[in-house]
């Protein structure tokens, strides 16, 4: 059962999506009104569509969003991102209502790993601790010792004793990259992000020839050959900062295309070229899970306060420990 199938099984209905939105409804005005009336906060990941990014109270990458969820005093958290992110917000805020515009917004990485699967791997390596990327469901978090995001993974792994045996789940690409930059030999779960794995080294190499002044920047969820030729590798927030602060005027961006919206705003004069993917007939550099959320669904979700993220309390408490550990260990990271 995938994360989403489990979540759907817990929900009485998804009827809110069938509700009609009256013609002429000003979605922005209505969302603004409901946000005040319901004391709601809208948190959005950089991979959301531009209109959702623009209306959010807080826009960020996974680490920034986890921190925002930890610190909010809103009564309702409207999470514009994917399921594991909304679940993380719920783990941190058990008494608050957490809603996600489309419950089907999953993640290939989260679906690659289950709590049961991880328990089996732990049995094979009883002396290892488990460090999991935040892109996993609550069952996997509950089996983990520390959660990391792409912004703090290197820092956190470096803070662990060199001789500590580590299982890293579920992203093999991020894990391999962290092994390389930290000199570790972590045991890697074999999961991947369908978006970041779609980038084509061959086509990117041609883009680099066509744009000789452009710097290639890549997210560590991309495959090793792409990371090897990149001028800079970083989390979503770090890629954004790099484009804003680096002296280069052109960048080939090997990550989910949604981030280009904020890059264009913060670095208006710079040329941003989305990196090409293996299949030129698809929008493979867009995460179709993230893009399931729309302004219409955001409006309906705020109006009907559905679908709500619900979770077993025992799992929540187990999943909270490694998230808190991450928040504690990454205080030095901006
Ligand atoms: P970050 O937000 O940590 O960069 O992760 C990227 C991602 O794929 C989120 O799903
Ligand atoms: Fe998951 Fe990749 Fe989409 Fe992020 S971009 S939510 S890792 S499938």
């Amino acid at each position: 059962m995938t994360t989403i199938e489990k979540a759907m099984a817990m929900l009485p209905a998804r009827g809110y999506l069938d509700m009609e939105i009256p013609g002429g409804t000003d979605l922005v005005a209505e969302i603004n009104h409901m946000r005040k009336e319901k004391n709601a906060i809208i948190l959005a990941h950089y991979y959301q569509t531009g209109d959702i990014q623009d209306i959010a109270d807080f826009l960020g990458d996974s680490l920034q969003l986890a921190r925002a969820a930890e610190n909010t005093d809103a009564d309702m958290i409207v999470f514009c991102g994917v399921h594991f992110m909304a679940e993380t917000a719920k783990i941190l805020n058990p008494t608050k209502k957490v809603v996600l515009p489309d419950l089907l917004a999953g993640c290939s990485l989260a679906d690659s790993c289950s709590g049961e699967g991880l328990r089996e791997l732990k049995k094979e390596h009883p002396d290892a601790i488990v460090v999991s990327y935040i892109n996993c469901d609550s069952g996997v978090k509950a089996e983990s010792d520390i959660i990391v995001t792409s912004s703090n993974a290197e820092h956190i792994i470096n803070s662990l004793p060199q001789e500590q045996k580590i299982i890293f789940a579920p992203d093999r690409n991020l894990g391999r990259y962290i092994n390389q930059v930290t000199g570790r030999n972590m045991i890697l779960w074999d999961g991947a992000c369908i978006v970041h794995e779609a980038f084509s080294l061959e086509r990117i190499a041609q883009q680099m020839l066509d744009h000789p002044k452009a710097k290639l920047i890549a997210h560590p969820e991309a495959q090793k050959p792409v990371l090897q030729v990149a001028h800079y590798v970083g989390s979503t927030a770090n890629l954004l900062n790099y484009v804003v602060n680096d002296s280069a005027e052109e960048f080939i961006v090997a990550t989910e295309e949604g981030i280009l919206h904020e890059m264009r705003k913060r670095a208006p004069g710079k040329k941003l070229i989305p990196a090409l993917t293996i299949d030129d007939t698809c929008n493979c550099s867009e995460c179709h899970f993230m893009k399931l959320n729309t302004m219409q669904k955001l409006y309906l979700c705020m109006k009907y306060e559905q679908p709500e993220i619900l979770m077993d309390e025992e799992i929540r408490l187990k999943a909270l420990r490694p998230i808190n550990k991450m928040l504690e260990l990454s205080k030095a990271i901006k």
Side-chain angles (χ1 to χ4, degrees), residues 45-47 60-63 65 82 84-85 107 109 133-135 149-151 193 196 219-221 234-238 255-256 287 290:
H45 191 272
Y46 288 121
Y47 298 173
D61 72 354
S62 302
L63 178 60
L65 290 168
V82 290
F84 75 81
M85 296 179 174
C107 168
L109 263 174
Y133 191 29
I134 199 164
N135 296 34
T149 74
S150 53
S151 283
C193 162
H196 289 89
H219 194 283
E221 286 175 21
S235 66
T236 312
N238 287 340
T255 190
E256 211 276 351
C287 174
M290 286 275 183

Side-chain angles (χ1 to χ4, degrees), residues 297-315:
K297 290 178 192 170
L298 172 57
Y299 163 85
L300 290 170
C301 142
M302 290 184 77
K303 188 169 165 80
Y304 297 102
E305 303 187 9
Q306 285 186 45
E308 187 181 353
I309 303 294
L310 302 167
M311 192 177 311
D312 178 89
E313 181 61 6
E314 199 184 322
I315 295 276

Side-chain angles (χ1 to χ4, degrees), residues 3 43 61-72 77 79 82-94 96 98 100 110 132-139 141 147-149 309-311 316 319-324 326-327:
T3 319
L43 306 181
D61 72 354
S62 302
L63 178 60
Q64 295 165 329
L65 290 168
R67 282 176 171 156
E70 187 198 14
N71 295 323
T72 182
I77 299 173
F79 210 109
V82 290
H83 189 267
F84 75 81
M85 296 179 174
E87 220 181 29
T88 304
K90 183 66 183 177
I91 293 166
L92 288 162
N93 292 284
K96 291 188 177 134
V98 179
L100 173 70
S132 293
Y133 191 29
I134 199 164
N135 296 34
C136 60
D137 72 14
S138 52
K141 287 188 174 79
I147 296 300
V148 296
T149 74
I309 303 294
L310 302 167
M311 192 177 311
R316 187 192 73 78
L320 180 62
R321 277 180 303 110
I323 296 175
N324 278 339
M326 168 187 82
L327 294 169

Side-chain angles (χ1 to χ4, degrees), residues 95-126:
T95 59
K96 291 188 177 134
K97 184 171 263 188
V98 179
V99 289
L100 173 70
D102 194 324
L103 198 64
L104 292 178
C107 168
S108 65
L109 263 174
D111 282 344
S112 74
C113 187
S114 66
E116 303 85 74
L118 193 51
R119 261 200 305 279
E120 289 305 310
L121 186 62
K122 280 164 71 171
K123 278 188 206 154
E124 288 172 34
H125 306 279

